[in-house]
Amino acid sequence: MASVSDKQVDELLDFCQDCQGLIFDLRENRGGLSENGMTLLKYLPTEKELYKTYVRHNSIRDELMEEGVVLKPRIKNESKIWRKPLIVLVDNESFSMSSIFAMCVKGCENVRIVGVKTAGGTNLPDWFELSNGWFYRIPTVKLISRYGIDYENGVIPDVEIHLDKDKAVEENRDNIIDAACEMILSQDYWKNSYNSLSD
């Protein structure tokens, strides 16, 4: 999988300067390079922590964990921060880094997560080998959102919308993208809809 560079994101945002908003479609995205998600997060207007980690001392018991690091975004040059609306589309196949990205942007004032609950996978696994040569993996690092929530079982969208499969087949239309576009174009929505997004 190719990595995303700051230069590429800079060029994309320059190209989109006249756009009223952006849509990140993370549906059916099973994850990927964590560095790519971290690169994109640097361009959002937040100085709050993104998450904190807890590291296992024991491979089975969650209570035997100690606090690890607190991750905060490395803010880019202020002129490069994307402050216009950003819609992040997710579904029940958005897993691992896609789900972590949704967890990190949840609650950002200019971001809305739209779709259905993600597949989770926000905790980080390690691989281990059994005596017979088989490998297994278990989460050894728990990621907790800045609101103190463990999203291992999935991130709940701010706006729940299910894909209309009949419309997709018969009209070749994606009702979720249509709804996201309407949200971006609705100035009243962004003025009036910012409520508690930390559920």
Side-chain angles (χ1 to χ4, degrees):
M1 178 177 291
S3 60
V4 176
S5 68
D6 284 331
K7 182 175 184 296
Q8 289 172 317
V9 180
D10 285 344
E11 291 175 352
L12 173 64
L13 294 182
D14 287 342
F15 179 79
C16 296
Q17 277 301 311
D18 295 330
C19 296
Q20 290 182 252
L22 291 178
I23 298 173
F24 281 3
D25 194 345
L26 298 181
R27 293 174 296 175
E28 299 185 16
N29 188 314
R30 304 293 293 173
L33 294 177
S34 60
E35 292 84 357
N36 287 346
M38 294 300 109
T39 296
L40 294 172
L41 287 167
K42 292 188 295 185
Y43 291 83
L44 295 179
T46 177
E47 295 182 358
K48 299 178 181 178
E49 65 185 46
L50 297 176
Y51 60 76
K52 63 178 60 177
T53 66
Y54 288 84
V55 183
R56 288 179 186 268
H57 282 309
N58 181 291
S59 61
I60 298 175
R61 297 173 61 190
D62 271 355
E63 62 266 27
L64 295 178
M65 304 185 80
E66 69 175 9
E67 188 168 344
V69 300
V70 173
L71 181 69
K72 295 185 178 180
R74 292 184 293 124
I75 301 297
K76 286 287 294 180
N77 183 306
E78 284 294 321
S79 66
K80 294 294 184 179
I81 298 297
W82 182 262
R83 300 183 184 281
K84 296 180 183 179
L86 170 66
I87 306 290
V88 179
L89 305 185
V90 297
D91 65 7
N92 57 11
E93 293 189 55
S94 303
F95 186 70
S96 190
M97 190 58 213
S98 295
S99 205
I100 292 172
F101 185 88
M103 176 189 76
C104 290
V105 300
K106 191 170 180 65
C108 290
E109 195 164 346
N110 68 319
V111 180
R112 297 295 181 274
I113 303 173
V114 175
V116 298
K117 185 178 178 181
T118 73
T122 57
N123 293 337
L124 306 180
D126 273 337
W127 289 89
F128 301 92
E129 184 177 4
L130 299 174
S131 58
N132 63 359
W134 290 3
F135 286 88
Y136 69 98
R137 68 175 189 171
I138 60 172
T140 55
V141 179
K142 184 186 291 290
L143 271 57
I144 302 297
S145 79
R146 60 176 173 264
Y147 300 108
I149 300 173
D150 179 1
Y151 285 110
E152 171 65 12
N153 293 322
V155 178
I156 299 172
D158 304 316
V159 181
E160 182 174 341
I161 305 177
H162 293 262
L163 179 66
D164 186 334
K165 295 181 180 179
D166 291 336
K167 189 172 186 178
V169 172
E170 296 169 7
E171 303 178 29
N172 196 30
R173 299 286 301 185
D174 187 321
N175 64 298
I176 299 178
I177 290 182
D178 288 344
C181 291
E182 290 177 8
M183 290 170 61
I184 287 175
L185 296 175
S186 174
Q187 295 301 314
D188 288 338
Y189 174 84
W190 295 92
K191 290 177 182 178
N192 301 325
S193 74
Y194 189 68
N195 47 31
S196 177
L197 301 179
S198 58
D199 297 335

